[in-house]
Short mmCIF file of all heavy atoms in Angstrom, two decimals:
data_model
loop_
_atom_site.label_atom_id
_atom_site.label_comp_id
_atom_site.label_asym_id
_atom_site.label_seq_id
_atom_site.Cartn_x
_atom_site.Cartn_y
_atom_site.Cartn_z
N THR U 16 -19.64 2.17 0.09
CA THR U 16 -18.47 2.48 0.90
C THR U 16 -18.74 2.11 2.35
O THR U 16 -19.87 2.20 2.83
CB THR U 16 -18.11 3.98 0.83
OG1 THR U 16 -19.23 4.74 1.27
CG2 THR U 16 -17.75 4.37 -0.59
N ILE U 17 -17.70 1.70 3.02
CA ILE U 17 -17.81 1.30 4.41
C ILE U 17 -17.47 2.50 5.28
O ILE U 17 -16.51 3.23 5.01
CB ILE U 17 -16.84 0.14 4.71
CG1 ILE U 17 -17.16 -1.06 3.81
CG2 ILE U 17 -16.91 -0.27 6.17
CD1 ILE U 17 -16.13 -2.16 3.87
N LYS U 18 -18.26 2.72 6.31
CA LYS U 18 -18.02 3.83 7.21
C LYS U 18 -16.67 3.65 7.91
O LYS U 18 -16.28 2.52 8.22
CB LYS U 18 -19.12 3.92 8.27
CG LYS U 18 -20.46 4.31 7.71
CD LYS U 18 -21.48 4.38 8.83
CE LYS U 18 -22.83 4.77 8.31
NZ LYS U 18 -23.83 4.84 9.39
N PRO U 19 -15.97 4.76 8.14
CA PRO U 19 -14.67 4.66 8.81
C PRO U 19 -14.71 3.91 10.14
O PRO U 19 -13.82 3.10 10.42
CB PRO U 19 -14.26 6.12 9.02
CG PRO U 19 -14.99 6.87 7.97
CD PRO U 19 -16.29 6.13 7.78
N GLU U 20 -15.74 4.15 10.94
CA GLU U 20 -15.79 3.47 12.24
C GLU U 20 -15.97 1.96 12.08
O GLU U 20 -15.47 1.18 12.90
CB GLU U 20 -16.88 4.05 13.15
CG GLU U 20 -18.26 4.09 12.57
CD GLU U 20 -18.61 5.36 11.79
OE1 GLU U 20 -17.74 6.20 11.57
OE2 GLU U 20 -19.77 5.48 11.41
N ASN U 21 -16.65 1.53 11.01
CA ASN U 21 -16.80 0.10 10.76
C ASN U 21 -15.49 -0.51 10.27
O ASN U 21 -15.17 -1.66 10.61
CB ASN U 21 -17.92 -0.17 9.77
CG ASN U 21 -19.28 0.14 10.35
OD1 ASN U 21 -19.46 0.13 11.57
ND2 ASN U 21 -20.25 0.43 9.50
N ARG U 22 -14.73 0.24 9.45
CA ARG U 22 -13.42 -0.24 9.01
C ARG U 22 -12.49 -0.40 10.21
O ARG U 22 -11.73 -1.37 10.29
CB ARG U 22 -12.81 0.72 7.98
CG ARG U 22 -13.43 0.60 6.62
CD ARG U 22 -12.57 1.27 5.56
NE ARG U 22 -12.30 2.66 5.86
CZ ARG U 22 -12.89 3.69 5.25
NH1 ARG U 22 -13.78 3.47 4.32
NH2 ARG U 22 -12.57 4.92 5.58
N VAL U 23 -12.55 0.54 11.15
CA VAL U 23 -11.71 0.47 12.34
C VAL U 23 -12.09 -0.75 13.16
O VAL U 23 -11.22 -1.50 13.62
CB VAL U 23 -11.83 1.77 13.18
CG1 VAL U 23 -11.19 1.59 14.55
CG2 VAL U 23 -11.21 2.94 12.44
N LYS U 24 -13.38 -1.00 13.34
CA LYS U 24 -13.83 -2.17 14.10
C LYS U 24 -13.36 -3.47 13.45
O LYS U 24 -12.92 -4.40 14.14
CB LYS U 24 -15.34 -2.18 14.23
CG LYS U 24 -15.88 -1.13 15.20
CD LYS U 24 -17.39 -1.15 15.24
CE LYS U 24 -17.94 -0.03 16.11
NZ LYS U 24 -19.41 0.02 16.10
N ARG U 25 -13.45 -3.54 12.13
CA ARG U 25 -12.98 -4.74 11.42
C ARG U 25 -11.49 -4.94 11.62
O ARG U 25 -11.02 -6.06 11.84
CB ARG U 25 -13.28 -4.63 9.92
CG ARG U 25 -14.70 -4.86 9.57
CD ARG U 25 -14.88 -4.82 8.08
NE ARG U 25 -16.29 -4.93 7.74
CZ ARG U 25 -16.75 -4.86 6.52
NH1 ARG U 25 -15.94 -4.65 5.50
NH2 ARG U 25 -18.04 -4.99 6.28
N ARG U 26 -10.74 -3.84 11.54
CA ARG U 26 -9.29 -3.94 11.69
C ARG U 26 -8.92 -4.35 13.11
O ARG U 26 -8.00 -5.13 13.30
CB ARG U 26 -8.63 -2.62 11.31
CG ARG U 26 -7.14 -2.68 11.29
CD ARG U 26 -6.64 -3.69 10.27
NE ARG U 26 -5.19 -3.70 10.30
CZ ARG U 26 -4.45 -4.72 9.94
NH1 ARG U 26 -5.01 -5.82 9.47
NH2 ARG U 26 -3.15 -4.65 10.02
N ILE U 27 -9.65 -3.86 14.09
CA ILE U 27 -9.40 -4.26 15.48
C ILE U 27 -9.60 -5.76 15.63
O ILE U 27 -8.79 -6.45 16.26
CB ILE U 27 -10.29 -3.46 16.45
CG1 ILE U 27 -9.82 -2.01 16.53
CG2 ILE U 27 -10.30 -4.09 17.83
CD1 ILE U 27 -10.75 -1.08 17.29
N LYS U 28 -10.67 -6.29 15.03
CA LYS U 28 -10.91 -7.74 15.09
C LYS U 28 -9.77 -8.51 14.43
O LYS U 28 -9.32 -9.54 14.95
CB LYS U 28 -12.23 -8.09 14.41
CG LYS U 28 -13.44 -7.70 15.21
CD LYS U 28 -14.72 -8.08 14.48
CE LYS U 28 -15.94 -7.59 15.23
NZ LYS U 28 -17.19 -7.89 14.53
N GLU U 29 -9.29 -8.02 13.28
CA GLU U 29 -8.17 -8.68 12.59
C GLU U 29 -6.92 -8.67 13.47
O GLU U 29 -6.23 -9.69 13.57
CB GLU U 29 -7.87 -7.97 11.27
CG GLU U 29 -8.91 -8.14 10.20
CD GLU U 29 -8.64 -7.27 8.98
OE1 GLU U 29 -7.63 -6.51 8.97
OE2 GLU U 29 -9.42 -7.34 8.03
N LEU U 30 -6.65 -7.54 14.09
CA LEU U 30 -5.46 -7.44 14.94
C LEU U 30 -5.58 -8.34 16.17
O LEU U 30 -4.61 -8.98 16.57
CB LEU U 30 -5.23 -5.98 15.35
CG LEU U 30 -4.77 -5.06 14.23
CD1 LEU U 30 -4.80 -3.60 14.67
CD2 LEU U 30 -3.38 -5.44 13.75
N TYR U 31 -6.77 -8.39 16.76
CA TYR U 31 -6.96 -9.30 17.90
C TYR U 31 -6.74 -10.75 17.49
O TYR U 31 -6.17 -11.54 18.25
CB TYR U 31 -8.35 -9.14 18.52
CG TYR U 31 -8.46 -8.01 19.49
CD1 TYR U 31 -9.41 -7.01 19.33
CD2 TYR U 31 -7.62 -7.93 20.59
CE1 TYR U 31 -9.51 -5.96 20.22
CE2 TYR U 31 -7.70 -6.89 21.50
CZ TYR U 31 -8.65 -5.91 21.31
OH TYR U 31 -8.74 -4.88 22.19
N LYS U 32 -7.17 -11.09 16.30
CA LYS U 32 -6.96 -12.46 15.81
C LYS U 32 -5.46 -12.75 15.67
O LYS U 32 -4.98 -13.80 16.06
CB LYS U 32 -7.67 -12.64 14.47
CG LYS U 32 -7.59 -14.04 13.93
CD LYS U 32 -8.38 -14.18 12.64
CE LYS U 32 -8.24 -15.58 12.09
NZ LYS U 32 -8.92 -15.73 10.81
N ILE U 33 -4.74 -11.79 15.11
CA ILE U 33 -3.29 -11.95 14.96
C ILE U 33 -2.61 -12.07 16.32
O ILE U 33 -1.75 -12.92 16.52
CB ILE U 33 -2.70 -10.77 14.16
CG1 ILE U 33 -3.17 -10.84 12.70
CG2 ILE U 33 -1.18 -10.77 14.23
CD1 ILE U 33 -2.86 -9.60 11.89
N PHE U 34 -3.03 -11.23 17.27
CA PHE U 34 -2.36 -11.20 18.56
C PHE U 34 -2.98 -12.14 19.59
O PHE U 34 -2.62 -12.10 20.76
CB PHE U 34 -2.30 -9.77 19.09
CG PHE U 34 -1.30 -8.97 18.32
CD1 PHE U 34 -1.71 -8.16 17.28
CD2 PHE U 34 0.05 -9.07 18.59
CE1 PHE U 34 -0.79 -7.44 16.54
CE2 PHE U 34 0.98 -8.35 17.85
CZ PHE U 34 0.55 -7.53 16.82
N SER U 35 -3.87 -13.00 19.15
CA SER U 35 -4.43 -13.99 20.06
C SER U 35 -3.35 -14.98 20.50
O SER U 35 -3.52 -15.68 21.50
CB SER U 35 -5.58 -14.75 19.39
OG SER U 35 -5.12 -15.50 18.29
N LEU U 36 -2.24 -15.02 19.78
CA LEU U 36 -1.12 -15.89 20.14
C LEU U 36 -0.33 -15.37 21.33
O LEU U 36 0.41 -16.11 21.96
CB LEU U 36 -0.19 -16.06 18.94
CG LEU U 36 -0.83 -16.65 17.68
CD1 LEU U 36 0.11 -16.53 16.52
CD2 LEU U 36 -1.24 -18.08 17.92
N ALA U 37 -0.48 -14.08 21.63
CA ALA U 37 0.25 -13.49 22.76
C ALA U 37 -0.40 -13.97 24.07
O ALA U 37 -1.59 -14.26 24.12
CB ALA U 37 0.20 -11.97 22.67
N ASP U 38 0.41 -14.02 25.13
CA ASP U 38 -0.17 -14.45 26.41
C ASP U 38 -1.13 -13.39 26.94
O ASP U 38 -1.11 -12.24 26.54
CB ASP U 38 0.94 -14.78 27.43
CG ASP U 38 1.78 -13.59 27.79
OD1 ASP U 38 1.23 -12.67 28.42
OD2 ASP U 38 2.99 -13.59 27.46
N GLU U 39 -2.02 -13.81 27.83
CA GLU U 39 -3.11 -12.95 28.31
C GLU U 39 -2.62 -11.67 28.97
O GLU U 39 -3.21 -10.61 28.78
CB GLU U 39 -4.00 -13.72 29.28
CG GLU U 39 -4.99 -14.61 28.60
CD GLU U 39 -5.97 -15.21 29.59
OE1 GLU U 39 -6.50 -14.45 30.43
OE2 GLU U 39 -6.20 -16.42 29.51
N ASP U 40 -1.56 -11.76 29.75
CA ASP U 40 -1.05 -10.57 30.44
C ASP U 40 -0.58 -9.52 29.45
O ASP U 40 -0.89 -8.34 29.59
CB ASP U 40 0.10 -10.94 31.39
CG ASP U 40 -0.38 -11.77 32.57
OD1 ASP U 40 -1.58 -11.65 32.91
OD2 ASP U 40 0.43 -12.53 33.12
N ARG U 41 0.16 -9.95 28.46
CA ARG U 41 0.63 -9.00 27.44
C ARG U 41 -0.53 -8.44 26.63
O ARG U 41 -0.54 -7.27 26.29
CB ARG U 41 1.62 -9.67 26.49
CG ARG U 41 2.98 -9.87 27.10
CD ARG U 41 3.94 -10.37 26.07
NE ARG U 41 5.26 -10.51 26.65
CZ ARG U 41 6.34 -10.79 25.97
NH1 ARG U 41 6.26 -10.98 24.67
NH2 ARG U 41 7.50 -10.89 26.56
N LEU U 42 -1.50 -9.29 26.33
CA LEU U 42 -2.65 -8.84 25.56
C LEU U 42 -3.43 -7.76 26.30
O LEU U 42 -3.90 -6.79 25.70
CB LEU U 42 -3.55 -10.02 25.20
CG LEU U 42 -4.64 -9.75 24.18
CD1 LEU U 42 -4.05 -9.25 22.86
CD2 LEU U 42 -5.46 -11.00 23.94
N LYS U 43 -3.56 -7.91 27.62
CA LYS U 43 -4.24 -6.89 28.41
C LYS U 43 -3.51 -5.55 28.34
O LYS U 43 -4.13 -4.50 28.28
CB LYS U 43 -4.36 -7.33 29.87
CG LYS U 43 -5.36 -8.42 30.10
CD LYS U 43 -5.39 -8.82 31.55
CE LYS U 43 -6.31 -10.01 31.76
NZ LYS U 43 -6.29 -10.47 33.17
N ILE U 44 -2.20 -5.62 28.33
CA ILE U 44 -1.39 -4.40 28.29
C ILE U 44 -1.46 -3.73 26.92
O ILE U 44 -1.55 -2.51 26.82
CB ILE U 44 0.07 -4.71 28.67
CG1 ILE U 44 0.13 -5.11 30.15
CG2 ILE U 44 0.98 -3.52 28.39
CD1 ILE U 44 1.47 -5.64 30.58
N VAL U 45 -1.44 -4.52 25.85
CA VAL U 45 -1.38 -3.93 24.50
C VAL U 45 -2.75 -3.70 23.87
O VAL U 45 -2.82 -3.16 22.78
CB VAL U 45 -0.50 -4.77 23.55
CG1 VAL U 45 0.92 -4.83 24.03
CG2 VAL U 45 -1.08 -6.14 23.30
N THR U 46 -3.82 -4.05 24.56
CA THR U 46 -5.15 -3.83 24.00
C THR U 46 -5.38 -2.37 23.59
O THR U 46 -5.85 -2.11 22.48
CB THR U 46 -6.24 -4.31 24.98
OG1 THR U 46 -6.12 -5.72 25.12
CG2 THR U 46 -7.63 -3.97 24.48
N PRO U 47 -5.05 -1.40 24.43
CA PRO U 47 -5.22 -0.01 23.98
C PRO U 47 -4.37 0.32 22.76
O PRO U 47 -4.79 1.09 21.89
CB PRO U 47 -4.79 0.83 25.19
CG PRO U 47 -4.87 -0.08 26.35
CD PRO U 47 -4.62 -1.45 25.83
N LEU U 48 -3.19 -0.27 22.68
CA LEU U 48 -2.32 -0.03 21.53
C LEU U 48 -2.91 -0.63 20.26
O LEU U 48 -2.82 -0.03 19.18
CB LEU U 48 -0.92 -0.58 21.80
CG LEU U 48 0.16 -0.24 20.79
CD1 LEU U 48 0.31 1.27 20.63
CD2 LEU U 48 1.49 -0.86 21.21
N ILE U 49 -3.54 -1.79 20.37
CA ILE U 49 -4.20 -2.41 19.22
C ILE U 49 -5.30 -1.49 18.71
O ILE U 49 -5.42 -1.25 17.50
CB ILE U 49 -4.75 -3.80 19.58
CG1 ILE U 49 -3.60 -4.79 19.76
CG2 ILE U 49 -5.72 -4.30 18.50
CD1 ILE U 49 -4.01 -6.14 20.28
N ASN U 50 -6.10 -0.96 19.63
CA ASN U 50 -7.16 -0.04 19.23
C ASN U 50 -6.59 1.22 18.59
O ASN U 50 -7.13 1.73 17.60
CB ASN U 50 -8.02 0.32 20.44
CG ASN U 50 -8.77 -0.87 20.99
OD1 ASN U 50 -9.11 -1.80 20.27
ND2 ASN U 50 -9.01 -0.85 22.28
N GLN U 51 -5.52 1.73 19.16
CA GLN U 51 -4.89 2.94 18.63
C GLN U 51 -4.32 2.70 17.23
O GLN U 51 -4.44 3.55 16.35
CB GLN U 51 -3.80 3.43 19.58
CG GLN U 51 -3.26 4.78 19.27
CD GLN U 51 -4.32 5.87 19.37
OE1 GLN U 51 -5.23 5.81 20.17
NE2 GLN U 51 -4.20 6.88 18.54
N VAL U 52 -3.70 1.55 17.02
CA VAL U 52 -3.14 1.22 15.72
C VAL U 52 -4.24 1.18 14.66
O VAL U 52 -4.08 1.70 13.55
CB VAL U 52 -2.35 -0.11 15.77
CG1 VAL U 52 -2.11 -0.69 14.39
CG2 VAL U 52 -1.02 0.10 16.48
N ALA U 53 -5.36 0.58 14.99
CA ALA U 53 -6.47 0.52 14.03
C ALA U 53 -6.96 1.93 13.69
O ALA U 53 -7.24 2.22 12.52
CB ALA U 53 -7.61 -0.31 14.60
N ASN U 54 -7.04 2.79 14.67
CA ASN U 54 -7.44 4.18 14.42
C ASN U 54 -6.38 4.92 13.60
O ASN U 54 -6.71 5.72 12.73
CB ASN U 54 -7.71 4.92 15.73
CG ASN U 54 -9.03 4.52 16.33
OD1 ASN U 54 -10.06 4.61 15.68
ND2 ASN U 54 -9.01 4.06 17.57
N MET U 55 -5.12 4.66 13.89
CA MET U 55 -4.04 5.30 13.14
C MET U 55 -4.11 4.90 11.67
O MET U 55 -3.88 5.74 10.79
CB MET U 55 -2.68 4.91 13.71
CG MET U 55 -2.36 5.51 15.04
SD MET U 55 -0.87 4.75 15.71
CE MET U 55 0.19 6.16 15.82
N GLU U 56 -4.41 3.64 11.40
CA GLU U 56 -4.50 3.18 10.02
C GLU U 56 -5.58 3.94 9.27
O GLU U 56 -5.39 4.34 8.12
CB GLU U 56 -4.77 1.67 9.98
CG GLU U 56 -3.57 0.84 10.40
CD GLU U 56 -3.87 -0.64 10.49
OE1 GLU U 56 -5.02 -1.06 10.22
OE2 GLU U 56 -2.95 -1.39 10.84
N GLU U 57 -6.71 4.16 9.92
CA GLU U 57 -7.80 4.91 9.30
C GLU U 57 -7.37 6.35 9.04
O GLU U 57 -7.64 6.90 7.97
CB GLU U 57 -9.05 4.86 10.19
CG GLU U 57 -10.24 5.54 9.58
CD GLU U 57 -10.71 4.90 8.29
OE1 GLU U 57 -10.61 3.68 8.13
OE2 GLU U 57 -11.17 5.67 7.42
N GLN U 58 -6.72 6.96 10.00
CA GLN U 58 -6.25 8.34 9.83
C GLN U 58 -5.19 8.44 8.74
O GLN U 58 -5.17 9.41 7.98
CB GLN U 58 -5.69 8.89 11.16
CG GLN U 58 -6.75 9.11 12.21
CD GLN U 58 -7.80 10.10 11.76
OE1 GLN U 58 -7.50 11.14 11.19
NE2 GLN U 58 -9.06 9.78 11.99
N LEU U 59 -4.32 7.45 8.66
CA LEU U 59 -3.30 7.45 7.60
C LEU U 59 -3.95 7.41 6.22
O LEU U 59 -3.51 8.10 5.30
CB LEU U 59 -2.34 6.26 7.78
CG LEU U 59 -1.28 6.44 8.84
CD1 LEU U 59 -0.57 5.11 9.12
CD2 LEU U 59 -0.28 7.51 8.46
N GLU U 60 -4.99 6.61 6.08
CA GLU U 60 -5.68 6.54 4.79
C GLU U 60 -6.33 7.87 4.44
O GLU U 60 -6.27 8.32 3.30
CB GLU U 60 -6.72 5.42 4.81
CG GLU U 60 -6.09 4.04 4.77
CD GLU U 60 -7.11 2.92 4.77
OE1 GLU U 60 -8.27 3.17 4.39
OE2 GLU U 60 -6.75 1.80 5.14
N THR U 61 -6.92 8.53 5.44
CA THR U 61 -7.53 9.84 5.21
C THR U 61 -6.47 10.86 4.82
O THR U 61 -6.64 11.62 3.85
CB THR U 61 -8.27 10.31 6.49
OG1 THR U 61 -9.25 9.35 6.82
CG2 THR U 61 -8.91 11.67 6.27
N LEU U 62 -5.37 10.88 5.57
CA LEU U 62 -4.29 11.82 5.25
C LEU U 62 -3.67 11.53 3.89
O LEU U 62 -3.29 12.46 3.17
CB LEU U 62 -3.21 11.78 6.34
CG LEU U 62 -3.56 12.45 7.66
CD1 LEU U 62 -2.52 12.14 8.72
CD2 LEU U 62 -3.69 13.96 7.47
N GLN U 63 -3.60 10.26 3.55
CA GLN U 63 -3.03 9.89 2.25
C GLN U 63 -3.89 10.44 1.11
O GLN U 63 -3.37 10.96 0.13
CB GLN U 63 -2.91 8.38 2.16
CG GLN U 63 -2.10 7.90 0.98
CD GLN U 63 -1.90 6.39 1.04
OE1 GLN U 63 -2.71 5.67 1.61
NE2 GLN U 63 -0.82 5.92 0.46
N SER U 64 -5.20 10.35 1.23
CA SER U 64 -6.06 10.90 0.18
C SER U 64 -5.98 12.42 0.16
O SER U 64 -5.98 13.03 -0.91
CB SER U 64 -7.51 10.43 0.36
OG SER U 64 -8.06 10.94 1.54
#
Side-chain angles (χ1 to χ4, degrees):
T16 59
I17 301 171
K18 292 181 180 180
E20 55 271 7
N21 291 337
R22 284 196 304 256
V23 169
K24 287 178 185 176
R25 284 184 185 176
R26 186 61 180 155
I27 288 171
K28 286 180 185 178
E29 290 172 359
L30 290 170
Y31 277 124
K32 184 176 178 183
I33 291 169
F34 288 97
S35 65
L36 301 170
D38 63 67
E39 279 188 47
D40 292 335
R41 285 187 177 188
L42 191 58
K43 287 178 185 177
I44 292 171
V45 298
T46 295
L48 188 57
I49 289 172
N50 295 330
Q51 191 62 33
V52 163
N54 284 305
M55 289 170 118
E56 289 174 0
E57 183 62 34
Q58 291 300 316
L59 282 169
E60 288 181 21
T61 302
L62 285 170
Q63 191 174 28
S64 65

